[in-house]
Each structure stands twice: as structure tokens, then as C-alpha cells.
Amino acid sequence: MNLKSCPFCGGKAEIKVNEQTLNGKAYCEKCEVVMKRNFKGSKRIKELLEELMTEEWNRRENNNE
């Protein structure tokens, strides 16, 4: 799944996940906006956490690609 660009500035977005703590972070390299989520209680592996973070990051009212 491809990560959309930042909804605020159009910059490149990145995702980091910690499979031990089940924390995920999506952030923009350009304007440094950050979205954090915790998936505590989930038994899913790192790749699934990255997929979940991508879905959350890409969710927006206006589908500007």
C-alpha cells in the first residue's frame, strides 16, 4: 500500500512502527506534522502495523492525491 503525501504541505510522508510497544507514527519530512497511534493488545506483526498506519494516514475527507 502506497503512503499518500502530507495533507498539509504535500511533502513526503514516512511511517515508523515499533512492533514491541505496538506504537506507530506517520510523519511528514517537510513540515514535520506527526500522527501517532497505539495498537496495544494487537497480536499483529510489523508489516500489518505499517499497513494500518498507511490506512490511517491516507484517510481524509478530501481525496487529494
Side-chain angles (χ1 to χ4, degrees):
M1 180 177 280
N2 291 328
L3 187 61
K4 292 181 181 179
S5 60
C6 176
F8 301 104
C9 74
K12 182 178 179 191
E14 293 288 331
I15 286 181
K16 290 192 178 185
V17 295
N18 184 318
E19 59 193 76
Q20 294 176 350
T21 64
L22 300 177
N23 289 323
K25 176 173 84 169
Y27 62 95
C28 175
E29 294 179 341
K30 185 176 178 182
C31 72
E32 300 181 358
V33 68
V34 176
M35 181 187 76
K36 295 180 181 179
R37 294 286 188 269
N38 180 280
F39 298 98
K40 205 173 259 187
S42 174
K43 305 277 185 201
R44 300 177 186 183
I45 58 176
K46 182 181 177 186
E47 289 79 15
L48 185 51
L49 287 173
E50 289 172 349
E51 182 180 318
L52 290 169
M53 286 303 303
T54 300
E55 289 172 4
E56 287 291 319
W57 180 260
N58 288 341
R59 185 178 306 172
R60 41 187 99 137
E61 286 183 38
N62 206 349
N63 193 8
N64 294 334
E65 307 226 5

